[in-house]
Amino acid sequence: MGILKDIVQDIFSVKNSYVGGFKYKIVKIFGFKCSKSIGYKPEGQNNNIYIVENSVKKVVKKRVVGLDIGIKGNNNKIIINAPYNFNNCFIRIEGNDTIITIGESTTLNNTYLRAVNNTQINIGKNTTIGGGKIHCVSQNSKINIGEDCMFSWDIHIMSGDYHIITSPDDEKIINKGYFCNIGNHVWLGCGTTVCKNVEIAENCIVGTHSVVTKSCNEKNSMLAGNPAKIMKKNIEWQRQPDY
């Protein structure tokens, strides 16, 4: 009986395999193997990934094309509103009680999202990202990106500094990150960095390779430089190219 079982398994077998954050079903027929992704494998408890389409929320049961998800922790939630377009994108959650929400009609290319304990990342609908990294890495912090934003490539948005800086007198943390808020219809030029505790008002433009370290609360402004400063006011920008 054991020999017969071995022969049958050599001819046909089905098993699950885990590679990175993906769960695959491996099927072997007459020695030939084929695999199909059947979903993600979060590490922890009560972690959920949802797709919302036509106001109906469904649990993701198979891999979202163009999106790699890895979760280590508990009680985390990712909500993706359809339609969406991902190309070579990654989401990493390391901690508990984190929520990441991606609005409908978003297009993300070469984009990496990382979040830690009790943080939130919200990306508004109709926003496009050419490439970059969004780091929600200060506990209890939030990153909010508005609707209809247009981000170029090599963008960096950070809610914290990754490492703690303290006062030598009382060891109090002096670089705590709480938020990073980017308003609706904001254009970030390539190589832009937006630092912690910064707000950018709606309808603004941030020039190429600028570093935004302080808030800009004036709508329709153009910022540039390191550190970024307002260079022009009362501007409007359109998505269509100038050629």
Side-chain angles (χ1 to χ4, degrees):
M1 194 70 179
I3 296 175
L4 180 60
K5 181 179 178 182
D6 291 340
I7 293 172
V8 171
Q9 287 182 343
D10 285 339
I11 295 173
F12 178 81
S13 66
V14 178
K15 66 178 182 178
N16 292 328
S17 178
Y18 299 96
V19 180
F22 300 129
K23 180 181 180 182
Y24 291 87
K25 190 171 286 296
I26 310 295
V27 179
K28 183 169 72 171
I29 304 176
F30 294 107
F32 294 96
K33 291 182 179 180
C34 59
S35 65
K36 180 181 180 181
S37 172
I38 57 174
Y40 298 100
K41 181 180 177 288
E43 298 181 28
Q45 297 181 342
N46 196 31
N47 295 305
N48 294 292
I49 305 167
Y50 299 103
I51 297 289
V52 179
E53 188 169 12
N54 298 323
S55 300
V56 177
K57 185 165 68 173
K58 298 180 179 180
V59 175
V60 172
K61 295 184 177 179
K62 62 180 181 179
R63 181 177 181 267
V64 177
V65 175
L67 178 61
D68 181 354
I69 296 175
I71 300 175
K72 293 182 179 180
N74 303 312
N75 306 313
N76 298 295
K77 189 184 301 183
I78 298 173
I79 303 170
I80 302 169
N81 290 271
Y84 49 80
N85 183 20
F86 298 109
N87 176 36
N88 192 35
C89 294
F90 302 85
I91 294 177
R92 295 289 182 265
I93 296 176
E94 300 171 9
N96 307 317
D97 304 304
T98 285
I99 302 174
I100 295 178
T101 305
I102 298 175
E104 64 186 70
S105 300
T106 53
T107 297
L108 306 185
N109 296 292
N110 304 308
T111 301
Y112 177 90
L113 281 65
R114 184 179 181 217
V116 297
N117 275 314
N118 196 32
T119 56
Q120 292 186 29
I121 299 176
N122 302 305
I123 300 177
K125 65 181 182 180
N126 299 313
T127 285
T128 59
I129 301 178
K133 296 180 178 180
I134 299 173
H135 307 263
C136 205
V137 292
S138 183
Q139 186 167 311
N140 305 315
S141 64
K142 296 181 181 181
I143 292 177
N144 294 308
I145 296 170
E147 300 178 359
D148 193 36
C149 290
M150 183 174 70
F151 296 173
S152 187
W153 62 89
D154 196 26
I155 302 299
H156 291 265
I157 299 171
M158 305 178 68
S159 71
D161 297 330
Y162 270 98
H163 304 286
I164 293 172
I165 301 174
T166 58
S167 168
D169 298 326
D170 54 12
E171 297 186 354
K172 183 179 180 180
I173 297 173
I174 59 175
N175 68 325
K176 174 63 179 171
Y178 298 99
F179 63 87
C180 187
N181 296 328
I182 298 174
N184 296 330
H185 196 64
V186 170
W187 174 9
L188 300 184
C190 65
T192 293
T193 297
V194 181
C195 298
K196 68 180 188 299
N197 302 334
V198 161
E199 293 190 23
I200 301 176
E202 62 185 45
N203 299 314
C204 284
I205 301 172
V206 181
T208 299
H209 296 294
S210 296
V211 179
V212 186
T213 60
K214 294 183 179 180
S215 294
C216 172
N217 297 314
E218 294 194 47
K219 301 177 182 179
N220 303 90
S221 297
M222 180 184 293
L223 293 78
N226 182 5
K229 298 178 180 179
I230 295 177
M231 299 296 179
K232 191 173 292 188
K233 299 181 180 180
N234 299 318
I235 57 93
E236 293 277 358
W237 66 270
Q238 311 296 327
R239 278 185 176 269
Q240 63 261 31
D242 64 349
Y243 52 81

